[in-house]
């Protein structure tokens, strides 16, 4: 479960060979949530209220990189880092 980005205490991961639909995992302390790449909908889990807008802002900026990362993860290839939220 490689981490592709870290910012403001959040860790974003893509899991190799993970299930559909295309999504990414966000960890923050003891919390974890899954977000769909295409819709940015929180599919499962929970994060503190203040963390969700940061994740959504970051993901909107880096959606193409997330799509590329998902394809690489599905192929079992090394993932590329994604810049953090500025």
């Amino acid at each position: 479960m490689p981490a592709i980005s870290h910012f403001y205490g959040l860790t974003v991961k893509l899991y190799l060979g993970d299930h559909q639909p295309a999504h990414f995992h966000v960890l923050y302390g003891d919390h974890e949530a899954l977000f769909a790449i295409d819709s940015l909908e929180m599919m499962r889990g929970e994060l503190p209220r203040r963390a969700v807008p940061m994740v959504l802002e970051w993901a909107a900026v880096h959606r193409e990189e997330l799509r590329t990362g998902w394809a690489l993860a599905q192929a079992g290839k090394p993932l590329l880092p994604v810049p953090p939220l500025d």
Side-chain angles (χ1 to χ4, degrees), residues 27-56:
L27 287 74
Y28 184 76
D30 293 333
H31 302 277
E32 181 175 2
L34 280 68
F35 289 84
I37 292 172
D38 287 333
S39 67
L40 299 184
E41 172 189 0
M42 187 186 301
M43 299 168 45
R44 188 171 68 216
E46 63 180 44
L47 292 174
R49 276 192 318 241
R50 70 178 184 268
V52 173
M54 289 187 287
V55 171
L56 296 177

Side-chain angles (χ1 to χ4, degrees), residues 1-15 24-35 47 51 54-55 58 66 82 84-85:
M1 58 180 140
I4 59 169
S5 195
H6 300 277
F7 54 94
Y8 301 114
L10 298 158
T11 299
V12 181
K13 295 184 174 193
L14 289 171
Y15 294 177
F24 58 97
H25 297 248
V26 178
L27 287 74
Y28 184 76
D30 293 333
H31 302 277
E32 181 175 2
L34 280 68
F35 289 84
L47 292 174
M54 289 187 287
V55 171
W58 173 85
L66 287 166
V82 178
L85 185 64

